């Protein structure tokens, strides 16, 4: 069938700069560039271009420009080019449209409608460069009360295990399988160097990484239970039960057979070339009671030494679900907003299911406080955290820490071309092709990740200092430091914040 | 204050040692009125004190029996259970042998890694879910959703043997391993959706199973010599476990269907790119 799809990108070559070195031919895994029969000219088939910009960055002569294809249909605000293209694609192939990364739709971004406070006169700001500023965060259950021995001031209360992270930012679950070994290793290396943790996603933790990186690995136990063995659970610093994911709430995952290489098949324990199917539900969890059973099964299997997280997608009834999760015994709850990323999801799920992370954190924090169980469980916000200001806003709305996934991938090289599901990532991140994966040097990539964490941490300290806050704990759920702009009453109510210009309430008698 | 049904009121191991009789590497634990965690704490303590055989008496619904026993370097323990163990018996099991003299509840061998579980009776739902290795023998029948997403890799081939029959969704999403339903005393199996989404492994079912009881992703193939040889070994082991020696030929003397997945990629064609 002839394809009626328009090209997505156009490749322009500045002929005067090009010396036909052929780097572009080597770098492009999509087949845009090729030598002609005589090996003299480089041909360009821009219809295959996905806009990953690999060739542009690596062209030694800066001779290439890759830009969106300008030609389009008659402008139409309703039947947009994307809508038309999707229909044509499905008419030609008859399937569910797959896509990578988080939703790119122009829903309102609440982070961008929230402003932070700063101290002026009455509460002096703090200079983080000269004064101590505490970002260290403890993830896990806190006791109902602390008993202290009055003689030696030792804490008598038994404290359940907590994770200690040096900045309230961890790396979100991205499985070995979805991402390459090198990308996976880079996340582990950066976590260890900076003093934070990374989540393995549901693809297991390769045996050769367990000894060195187990202590920084939050190992996931998802519906497919891939790579879950007693050693995997016991070598980790925490365990995460994955119920749902922001990019695809309520559905399972299919790692396509093409990506199931030898090493992946070994880690996941499935034959090479087989689809790795994660069922939509855990088949042993049909209720909060059942969830409690798995939480405690994991605690039993690890001698009650590790905190157990439960990760859910932010959906309409998230607050009540979160309350159930805390009551089921989780030490931390991870909430993944509808902007959350993915290696592959049906586009229709990614773009139409779930709620924004900002609202989800606010309502969950509020609900748990009202029920007096907020201290039982840490809240980790995930799904579309783009910068340090998003981190600060998420924490002020009620989170203990955040997970970053997409931002970490971008730090390593990702350009958000959204073709993760093809396994042809030209940046060596989302691929199992050995030649492509080699492009990512774990030493360099982990350095980029550490730099990002350092930069964000410094910025967070600056923002906290400006607010007159010297410990991240004092920011958590501190919504008095947030003001909404361009939001309606119901939005302010859900977020639990005042509008810009509204001062502190008078609380006199 | 929020009550924790698993942890509230759990006594320390020292307080519980009175429940144990220790003799020559065998620990006899009276599980009467022990909580889930208390029993598992005690079991671990006994193994650390040198027990290689644990006999649990008066077991009544305690969960996760055997899950805690992960040791590095590995130790193998034999566990005998009298009574009814609770859910998730042998979940994540790391190579031990568990024998149950009685029925078992849901989740037997959940994500079990290695070892053996022998149940002299029936078991509940989700038996052998995501099992990765070892063997499970259930003398009688099992409930719904058993052997879901069993896996296998190279020499790790989990095996689930069921004496009589199973309920719906047997072997759903199965990715590896072997399920054997012997159909003892069963004229016709009544379960549906057998092997829905199956993409690896193999099932042998003794007795009558109609095509409409199978998932769409399952194919029925003829048994060859190797299959019969394998079944003979399994039945022999089954009979030995349950003291039914001599009944092998009777058990094998019926029609067996061999079920395998039609494709390694059952859902490869539902996507557009």
């Amino acid at each position: 069938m002839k394809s009626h799809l328009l090209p997505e990108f156009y490749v322009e070559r500045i002929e005067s700069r090009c010396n036909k070195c052929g780097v572009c031919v080597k770098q492009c895994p999509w087949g845009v560039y090729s030598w002609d029969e005589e090996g003299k000219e480089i041909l360009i088939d821009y219809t295959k271009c996905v806009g990953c910009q690999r060739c542009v960055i690596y062209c030694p002569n800066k001779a290439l420009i890759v830009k969106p294809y300008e030609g389009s249909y008659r402008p139409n605000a309703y039947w947009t080019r994307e809508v038309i293209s999707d229909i044509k694609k499905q008419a030609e192939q008859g399937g569910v449209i797959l896509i990578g990364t988080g939703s790119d739709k122009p829903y309102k971004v609440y982070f961008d409608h929230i402003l932070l406070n700063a101290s002026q006169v009455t509460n002096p700001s703090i200079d983080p460069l000269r004064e101590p500023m505490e970002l260290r965060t403890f993830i896990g259950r806190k006791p109902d009360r602390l008993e202290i021995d009055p003689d030696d001031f030792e804490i008598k209360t038994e404290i359940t295990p907590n994770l200690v992270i040096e900045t309230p930012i961890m790396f979100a679950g991205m499985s070995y399988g979805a991402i390459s070994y090198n990308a996976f290793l880079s996340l582990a290396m950066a976590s260890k160097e900076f003093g934070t943790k990374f989540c393995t996603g549901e693809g297991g933790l390769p045996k050769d990484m367990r000894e060195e990186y187990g202590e920084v690995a939050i190992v996931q136990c998802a519906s497919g239970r891939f790579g879950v063995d007693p050693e995997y659970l016991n070598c980790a610093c925490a365990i995460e039960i994955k119920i749902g994911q922001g990019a695809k709430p309520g559905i399972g995952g299919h790692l396509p057979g093409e990506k199931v290489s030898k090493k992946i098949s070994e880690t996941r324990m499935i034959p090479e070339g087989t689809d790795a199917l994660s069922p939509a539900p855990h088949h042993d969890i049909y209720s909060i009671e059942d969830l409690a059973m798995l939480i405690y099964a994991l605690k039993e299997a690890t001698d009650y030494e590790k905190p157990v997280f439960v990760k859910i997608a932010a959906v309409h009834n998230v607050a009540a679900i979160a309350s159930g999760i805390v009551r089921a015994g989780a030490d931390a709850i991870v909430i993944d907003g509808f902007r959350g990323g993915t290696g592959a999801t049906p586009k229709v799920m990614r773009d139409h299911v779930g709620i924004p992370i900002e609202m989800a954190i606010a309502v969950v924090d509020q609900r748990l406080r009202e029920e007096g169980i907020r201290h039982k469980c840490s809240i980790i916000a995930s799904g579309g955290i783009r910068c340090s200001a998003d981190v600060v806003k998420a924490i002020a709305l009620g989170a203990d820490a955040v997970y970053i996934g997409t931002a970490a991938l971008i730090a390593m090289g990702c350009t958000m071309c959204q073709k993760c599901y093809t396994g042809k990532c030209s940046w060596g991140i989302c691929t199992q092709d050995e030649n492509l994966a080699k492009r990512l040097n774990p030493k360099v990539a982990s350095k980029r990740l550490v730099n990002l964490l350092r930069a964000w941490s410094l910025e967070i300290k600056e923002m906290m200092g400006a607010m007159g806050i010297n410990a991240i704990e004092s920011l958590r759920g501190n919504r008095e430091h947030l003001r909404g702009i361009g939001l309606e009453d119901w939005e302010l109510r859900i977020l639990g914040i005042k509008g810009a210009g509204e001062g502190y309430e008078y609380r006199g008698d | 204050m929020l009550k924790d049904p698993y942890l509230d009121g759990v006594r320390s191991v020292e307080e519980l040692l009175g429940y144990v009789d220790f003799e020559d590497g065998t620990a006899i634990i009276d599980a009467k009125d022990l909580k889930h965690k208390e029993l598992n704490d005690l079991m671990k303590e006994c193994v650390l004190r040198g027990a290689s055989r644990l006999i649990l008496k008066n077991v009544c619904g305690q969960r996760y029996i055997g899950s805690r026993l992960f040791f590095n370097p590995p130790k193998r323990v034999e566990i005998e259970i009298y009574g009814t163990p609770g859910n998730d018996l042998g979940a994540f099991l790391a190579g031990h042998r568990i024998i149950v003299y009685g029925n078992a509840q849901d989740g037997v061998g959940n994500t079990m890694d290695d070892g053996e579980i022998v149940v002299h009776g029936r078991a509940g739902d989700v038996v052998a879910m995501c099992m990765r290795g070892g063997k499970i023998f259930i003398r009688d029948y099992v409930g719904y959703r058993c052997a879901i997403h069993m896996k296998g890799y190279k020499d790790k081939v989990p095996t689930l043997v069921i004496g009589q029959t199973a309920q719906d969704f047997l072997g759903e999403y199965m990715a590896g391993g072997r399920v054997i339903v012997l159909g003892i005393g069963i004229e016709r199996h009544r379960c549906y959706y057998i092997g829905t989404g199956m993409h690896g492994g193999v099932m042998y079912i003794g007795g009558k199973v109609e095509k409409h009881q199978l998932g769409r992703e399952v194919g029925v193939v003829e048994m060859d010599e190797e299959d019969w040889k394998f079944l003979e070994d399994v039945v022999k082991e089954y009979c030995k476990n349950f003291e039914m020696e001599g009944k092998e030929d009777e058990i094998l003397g019926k029609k067996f269907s061999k079920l395998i997945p039609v494709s390694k990629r059952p859902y490869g064609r539902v996507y557009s790119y």
Side-chain angles (χ1 to χ4, degrees):
Chain A
M1 201 184 292
K2 176 164 177 57
S3 174
H4 291 170
L5 291 166
L6 282 181
E8 290 183 275
F9 287 90
Y10 183 72
V11 180
E12 195 178 311
R13 182 166 57 200
I14 305 165
E15 297 297 341
S16 61
R17 281 174 168 261
C18 176
N19 66 353
K20 299 182 182 114
C21 65
V23 165
C24 51
V25 183
K26 273 198 193 129
Q27 290 294 330
C28 179
W30 311 100
V32 173
Y33 305 97
S34 58
W35 289 103
D36 69 354
E37 278 170 16
E38 283 146 36
K40 283 185 180 165
E41 287 296 324
I42 296 171
L43 309 174
I44 298 178
D45 178 1
Y46 58 80
T47 61
K48 291 179 175 162
C49 180
V50 303
C52 72
Q53 307 289 348
R54 179 82 188 181
C55 55
V56 174
I57 301 293
Y58 278 82
C59 172
N61 305 311
K62 303 282 170 264
L64 293 169
I65 302 168
V66 171
K67 52 189 181 186
Y69 185 79
E70 281 168 18
S72 191
Y73 308 107
R74 174 184 288 274
N76 188 322
Y78 193 69
W79 296 95
T80 59
R81 178 168 164 178
E82 185 185 346
V83 169
I84 295 171
S85 298
D86 285 355
I87 291 173
K88 288 185 182 298
K89 207 178 280 180
Q90 292 190 297
E92 286 165 18
Q93 301 181 31
V96 174
I97 296 179
L98 269 192
I99 193 94
T101 78
S103 180
D104 55 9
K105 294 291 161 291
Y107 292 108
K108 196 173 206 169
V109 179
Y110 285 92
F111 282 133
D112 295 343
H113 289 268
I114 296 174
L115 296 171
L116 296 171
N117 194 23
S119 307
Q120 298 293 300
V121 185
T122 53
N123 179 16
S125 45
I126 304 167
D127 181 354
L129 298 178
R130 289 186 295 105
E131 294 180 64
M133 197 55 91
E134 174 99 16
L135 292 192
R136 182 174 295 169
T137 302
F138 295 83
I139 304 289
R141 177 160 292 216
K142 310 295 184 292
D144 293 330
R145 64 173 69 80
L146 268 188
E147 264 185 90
I148 294 169
D149 192 328
D151 298 327
D152 56 7
F153 299 103
E154 287 293 317
I155 295 171
K156 275 163 63 184
T157 312
E158 207 179 313
I159 310 274
T160 50
N162 269 246
L163 284 192
V164 187
I165 46 177
E166 297 305 326
T167 191
I169 306 165
M170 298 184 283
F171 296 123
M174 291 174 280
S175 70
Y176 170 45
I179 59 173
S180 65
Y181 183 81
N182 283 356
F184 193 77
L185 180 63
S186 306
L187 292 165
M189 288 166 65
S191 308
K192 191 161 181 174
E193 190 179 334
F194 200 84
T196 184
K197 314 288 178 193
F198 80 107
C199 177
T200 61
E202 61 175 311
L205 182 62
K207 284 210 186 300
D208 57 1
M209 281 178 67
R210 290 183 181 180
E211 200 180 324
E212 190 163 4
Y213 298 108
E215 61 180 280
V216 291
I218 299 163
V219 296
Q220 213 174 53
C221 176
S223 61
R225 304 280 157 87
F226 292 113
V228 179
D229 62 61
E231 190 198 73
Y232 166 78
L233 298 173
N234 277 285
C235 77
C237 65
I239 301 165
E240 179 173 294
I241 298 171
K242 181 197 170 191
I243 301 291
Q245 183 177 343
K248 40 180 159 178
I251 66 168
H254 297 173
L255 183 71
E258 296 96 28
K259 272 187 158 184
V260 180
S261 64
K262 186 159 178 283
K263 195 155 178 193
I264 294 209
S265 89
E266 192 182 331
T267 312
R268 295 203 176 204
M269 274 194 76
I270 47 166
E272 257 177 84
T274 308
D275 277 353
L277 304 180
S278 289
H282 287 248
H283 281 283
D284 51 352
I285 303 179
Y286 286 11
S287 67
I288 291 291
E289 270 297 305
D290 289 349
L291 176 66
M293 197 159 82
L294 182 61
I295 290 172
Y296 280 93
L298 291 167
K299 289 188 178 185
E300 278 289 344
T302 54
D303 223 356
Y304 293 82
E305 282 170 357
K306 331 242 176 223
V308 175
F309 300 2
V310 175
K311 175 177 179 176
I312 54 165
V315 289
H316 299 179
N317 203 22
V318 65
I321 297 163
S323 168
I325 290 171
V326 178
R327 286 160 200 281
D331 297 287
I333 167 167
V334 181
I335 307 170
D336 199 13
F338 85 128
R339 294 266 180 198
T342 178
T345 179
K347 191 164 179 246
V348 67
M349 302 300 294
R350 184 193 78 166
D351 290 345
H352 299 279
V353 185
I355 63 168
I357 187 61
E358 302 90 325
M359 291 181 152
I361 310 163
V363 295
V364 168
D365 178 66
Q366 186 64 30
R367 173 77 173 250
L368 299 184
R369 278 172 198 276
E370 281 166 10
E371 295 181 357
I373 53 176
R374 177 66 182 86
H375 65 286
K376 296 263 185 198
C377 191
S378 294
I379 297 174
I380 300 164
S382 163
I385 305 287
R386 304 160 297 173
C387 59
S388 56
D390 288 357
V391 179
V392 168
K393 290 170 190 175
I395 291 173
L397 282 170
D400 288 80
V402 303
Y403 260 157
I404 58 168
T406 305
L409 298 187
I410 293 173
M412 285 196 273
C414 168
T415 54
M416 300 293 286
C417 74
Q418 309 199 5
K419 296 287 179 190
C420 329
Y421 59 93
T422 62
K424 288 201 255 180
C425 177
S426 63
W427 292 88
I429 298 168
C430 220
T431 179
Q432 300 307 325
D433 179 320
E434 278 178 27
N435 288 323
L436 292 174
K438 262 197 317 216
R439 294 179 175 185
L440 194 78
N441 178 340
K443 270 194 187 149
V444 179
S446 64
K447 182 73 194 155
R448 290 178 191 272
L449 290 167
V450 168
N451 282 344
L452 181 76
L453 290 173
R454 180 171 181 272
W456 284 18
S457 300
L458 286 172
E459 287 179 347
I460 292 170
K461 288 180 180 177
E462 287 286 354
M463 285 179 271
M464 282 164 53
M467 286 187 253
I469 288 175
N470 64 4
I472 195 88
E473 276 192 343
S474 315
L475 180 67
R476 188 181 316 133
N478 197 340
R479 301 186 203 185
E480 212 32 277
H481 279 296
L482 303 176
R483 289 291 184 271
I485 184 155
L487 297 178
E488 294 184 31
D489 273 353
W490 71 268
E491 294 167 312
L492 293 169
R493 189 184 78 239
I494 297 290
L495 291 166
I497 61 174
K498 298 191 180 93
E502 290 183 87
Y504 296 126
E505 271 167 47
Y506 174 66
R507 290 203 196 135
D509 38 30
Chain B
M1 207 183 297
L2 187 56
K3 285 272 182 222
D4 187 323
Y6 289 89
L7 297 183
D8 283 352
V10 167
R11 291 163 286 178
S12 71
V13 174
E14 289 70 33
E15 284 174 84
L16 297 169
L17 285 173
Y19 287 81
V20 189
D21 276 332
F22 212 102
E23 217 174 278
D24 300 336
T26 301
I28 303 172
I29 301 175
D30 183 0
K32 200 178 168 199
D33 64 52
L34 287 184
K35 288 171 158 274
H36 311 303
K37 182 169 185 289
E38 290 176 335
L39 178 56
N40 288 305
D41 284 345
L42 259 188
M43 287 171 65
K44 181 167 186 188
E45 183 67 22
C46 290
V47 175
L48 289 177
R49 290 182 180 210
S52 58
R53 186 165 169 232
L54 304 172
I55 299 175
L56 317 182
K57 298 205 160 153
N58 298 318
V59 173
C60 185
Q62 283 92 349
R63 294 178 177 177
Y64 321 119
I65 293 178
S67 301
R68 190 87 68 82
L69 305 178
F70 170 73
F71 301 100
N72 200 2
K75 281 187 183 146
R76 288 191 178 245
V77 182
E78 185 145 328
I79 304 162
E80 285 172 40
I81 297 172
Y82 294 87
T84 307
N87 292 354
D88 276 352
L89 168 71
F92 309 109
L93 193 68
H96 310 290
R97 183 160 199 263
I98 299 178
I99 305 154
V100 182
Y101 295 99
N103 296 327
Q105 298 188 329
D106 297 345
V108 173
N110 188 346
T111 323
M112 161 174 173
D113 191 52
D114 199 6
E116 192 176 359
I117 301 177
V118 178
V119 178
H120 288 255
R122 58 166 288 268
D125 298 342
V126 280
V127 174
M129 173 169 140
C130 294
M131 187 179 172
R132 304 160 42 89
K135 289 176 183 174
I136 298 179
F137 286 88
I138 309 288
R139 192 190 66 196
D140 302 341
Y141 56 91
V142 296
Y144 292 80
R145 312 198 300 278
C146 291
I148 288 188
H149 220 309
M150 248 167 121
K151 295 173 183 56
Y153 184 76
K154 287 191 175 163
D155 55 331
K156 286 202 92 157
V157 182
T159 308
L160 169 65
V161 184
I162 299 158
Q164 296 173 0
T165 189
Q167 296 290 353
D168 297 355
F169 305 107
L170 177 70
E172 190 183 24
Y173 280 112
M174 197 165 154
R178 295 177 180 132
V179 174
I180 301 100
V181 183
L182 298 174
I184 298 170
I186 299 291
E187 269 186 28
R188 182 177 168 272
H189 295 283
R190 303 206 176 266
C191 43
Y192 286 87
Y193 308 106
I194 299 170
T196 303
M198 184 176 180
H199 52 290
V202 55
M203 281 194 259
Y204 299 95
I205 299 189
K208 203 169 178 189
V209 189
E210 308 266 358
K211 182 93 176 104
H212 68 269
Q213 291 173 271
L214 308 179
R216 275 189 300 179
E217 295 78 15
V218 178
V220 185
V221 292
E222 285 298 313
M223 300 271 294
D224 61 21
E225 215 169 293
E226 219 170 284
D227 294 319
W228 282 111
K229 176 81 191 56
F230 169 73
L231 267 190
E232 273 168 31
D233 291 347
V234 165
V235 170
K236 215 173 181 180
E237 207 174 338
Y238 174 88
C239 290
K240 191 169 165 246
N241 277 332
F242 299 117
E243 286 146 19
M244 289 163 74
E245 281 106 331
K247 299 233 171 155
E248 288 87 349
D249 292 345
E250 191 186 319
I251 294 171
L252 286 166
K254 63 162 84 71
K255 185 183 178 323
F256 273 83
S257 312
K258 180 184 181 184
L259 310 182
I260 57 163
V262 179
S263 159
K264 283 162 89 179
R265 307 200 49 196
Y267 305 116
R269 286 160 171 262
V270 301
Y271 299 113
S272 294
Y273 298 101

